[in-house]
Amino acid sequence: MKGQVSSLYVHIPFCASKCYYCDFNSYVSTSDVMDRYLDGLDRELEAVSSAYEHLPLQTVFFGGGTPTIFDARQSERMMAMLHRHFRMADGVEISVEANPGTVDLEKLQVLKDGGVNRLSFGVQSFDNDLLVKLGRLHDRDAVYRSWELARQAGFGSINLDLMFGLPGQTVETLQSTLRALIDLGPEHVSAYSLKVEEGTPFYTWYERGKLILPHEDEEVLMYQLVMDSFRASGYEMYEISNYAKPGHRSRHNQVYWRNEPYMATGSGAHGYVNSVRYVNQKDVPQYIETTVGGERPVVETEEISDVMQREDTMILGLRLLEGVTFERFREKHGQDMLDVFAKPIRKYEQRGLLTVDDVGVRLTEQGIFLANEVYAAFLGDE
Ligand code: SF4
């Protein structure tokens, strides 16, 4: 992987309760454990900062879990340790994931003063019955209250996460959520369909026939409705699940989709630096013990071969609607994309799922719906 790293992910693995569909690395815990986690994170940030030759940070993302579960004092500490160990580039994007109902003005102000300039709320739906079915703690009113507080604190770039394909959801009920969401006017929206993941209550209920999900055809209609609604309301669909008002694309997530390097800290976090992917210890007590003891908590490393890097560039890059440009591919891999991937590109071009021009390769409107099939064609085909 060429190019120095200038992005950082920080994982905060705590939530107020566990949503029924969630397989993320997150736990319900006490404030005392959170303090000790911050002790460990402080040491890990220091170690990561000196382990890699990095540039001043262009993007930082605090994800979870629910980073805003920290109180104002802990949030202040979290921001202070970031600035103690890393320099920020001018215009750095610092994002924090939040859940409706977990923010107050004091905490938001602390984050803002610490340089956070982008908030991402896990709203998921404006339908209170659906939110209960998902095991979410918030309701529609909590979304409005948290939104007001965020604006009051001066946040001008807010993402709202949305889910569709939910149990009992119909195209009509999704439509009213979309209307409510668009009325609020967030600068960015991420909209994903529900995936039932093993090890979650949803998985157990699904296996027992107790979780009735919309039919596949209805889910396609929902996806189409999501795309149409945002595009008609001044949002650019720039990635297969992401929509932004002009100037508000997530710069951090584009680092992932462009297959660029990033450092990662926190329990269970995955990083990618110098062509090596690494994974941190997931278990929170173990993570704390290792990091407080002055060791890095890395439990797995994998050297990514040139072949895999080229595949990743295509698979991740085709998620972006601008696709992968010939120039970017050549700069990154020193080869022509069409020399490496002529076969899958031509095959899916003929099927009308990819389009190729002088600039590069991207999904067609039809390809967006069959994206997973297209990505798979780039694996092991060189
Ligand atoms: S808030 Fe997010 S991370 Fe936490 S349990 Fe729910 S889905 Fe998982």
Side-chain angles (χ1 to χ4, degrees):
M1 174 64 46
K2 299 184 192 77
Q4 272 186 325
V5 60
S6 59
S7 287
L8 173 71
Y9 174 78
V10 184
H11 192 74
I12 308 298
F14 305 112
C15 283
S17 74
K18 196 78 185 163
C19 303
Y20 303 144
Y21 60 89
C22 176
D23 77 330
F24 299 132
N25 178 28
S26 71
Y27 310 90
V28 178
S29 205
T30 61
S31 185
D32 178 51
V33 171
M34 294 179 203
D35 278 330
R36 282 192 286 121
Y37 185 81
L38 284 169
D39 293 341
L41 187 62
D42 198 5
R43 303 294 302 272
E44 196 200 0
L45 285 167
E46 184 182 9
V48 165
S49 180
S50 55
Y52 304 113
E53 236 181 89
H54 59 84
L55 298 170
L57 298 181
Q58 295 284 352
T59 72
V60 182
F61 196 102
F62 290 91
T66 309
T68 48
I69 198 157
F70 287 154
D71 60 25
R73 176 189 57 82
Q74 290 163 328
S75 304
E76 192 168 5
R77 209 182 145 203
M78 175 175 87
M79 297 316 298
M81 58 178 73
L82 169 70
H83 291 285
R84 191 159 57 243
H85 300 305
F86 290 91
R87 275 198 306 128
M88 303 297 131
D90 285 347
V92 59
E93 173 191 275
I94 306 182
S95 307
V96 170
E97 279 188 336
N99 274 316
T102 63
V103 292
D104 56 39
L105 203 50
E106 187 192 5
K107 199 187 295 187
L108 288 169
Q109 222 100 52
V110 161
L111 292 174
K112 186 101 202 330
D113 294 346
V116 177
N117 47 23
R118 188 171 180 277
L119 282 181
S120 176
F121 282 107
V123 168
Q124 317 311 352
S125 175
F126 279 79
D127 181 328
N128 282 343
D129 293 340
L130 266 184
L131 288 167
V132 170
K133 277 192 199 166
L134 294 174
R136 302 288 311 195
L137 283 185
H138 71 267
D139 61 11
R140 189 183 167 113
D141 288 346
V143 175
Y144 288 120
R145 279 196 303 275
S146 296
W147 172 269
E148 280 306 318
L149 289 172
R151 285 298 202 221
Q152 228 175 304
F155 286 98
S157 193
I158 303 180
N159 168 68
L160 301 185
D161 283 341
L162 173 76
M163 288 171 82
F164 60 95
L166 301 174
Q169 191 178 41
T170 62
V171 169
E172 288 69 36
T173 55
L174 175 62
Q175 198 147 28
S176 63
T177 273
L178 287 167
R179 247 181 258 126
L181 191 141
I182 289 167
D183 276 352
L184 268 187
E187 285 68 34
H188 191 283
V189 181
S190 296
Y192 290 92
S193 65
L194 172 72
K195 296 273 169 297
V196 177
E197 305 284 358
E198 226 173 311
T200 62
F202 264 22
Y203 188 83
T204 312
W205 299 336
Y206 186 73
E207 289 287 287
R208 293 185 188 153
K210 290 195 172 139
L211 187 77
I212 311 300
L213 298 174
H215 187 269
E216 219 176 276
D217 295 342
E218 201 172 10
E219 204 184 304
V220 170
L221 289 177
M222 289 181 182
Y223 188 26
Q224 184 74 61
L225 177 67
V226 168
M227 287 196 279
D228 292 347
S229 305
F230 290 119
R231 281 169 160 169
S233 309
Y235 292 85
E236 176 201 17
M237 179 181 181
Y238 71 103
E239 195 264 355
I240 58 169
S241 303
N242 284 276
Y243 308 83
K245 290 204 172 152
H248 288 281
R249 287 182 180 198
S250 160
R251 282 166 52 203
H252 187 83
N253 286 339
Q254 286 183 103
V255 167
Y256 300 149
W257 298 321
R258 293 194 170 137
N259 197 20
E260 285 164 6
Y262 53 93
M263 298 168 280
T265 55
S267 74
H270 294 223
Y272 180 38
V273 192
N274 300 332
S275 304
V276 174
R277 288 198 188 277
Y278 67 86
V279 184
N280 275 357
Q281 236 157 15
K282 204 170 165 187
D283 182 81
V284 171
Q286 273 178 21
Y287 168 86
I288 293 172
E289 199 185 314
T290 310
T291 47
V292 169
E295 300 285 326
R296 278 194 64 195
V298 174
V299 285
E300 246 180 80
T301 56
E302 186 189 8
E303 172 104 36
I304 305 300
S305 67
D306 290 350
V307 171
M308 283 160 79
Q309 287 185 39
R310 291 193 287 266
E311 290 171 358
D312 286 346
T313 295
M314 297 308 294
I315 292 168
L316 295 165
L318 286 172
R319 296 182 62 96
L320 289 164
L321 291 229
E322 69 189 24
V324 185
T325 67
F326 294 125
E327 194 185 335
R328 190 143 42 88
F329 191 93
R330 200 175 309 111
E331 255 174 37
K332 218 174 181 39
H333 303 294
Q335 280 177 294
D336 278 335
M337 191 201 303
L338 285 174
D339 288 344
V340 185
F341 291 116
K343 209 167 123 195
I345 290 173
R346 293 302 172 208
K347 177 175 167 193
Y348 283 92
E349 187 186 18
Q350 267 163 25
R351 284 190 51 192
L353 304 184
L354 284 178
T355 180
V356 185
D357 61 16
D358 293 347
V359 180
V361 177
R362 70 194 74 90
L363 291 172
T364 60
E365 283 291 305
Q366 204 194 337
I368 290 172
F369 289 93
L370 295 167
N372 286 335
E373 188 188 332
V374 178
Y375 304 151
F378 287 88
L379 282 174
D381 202 76
E382 290 187 46

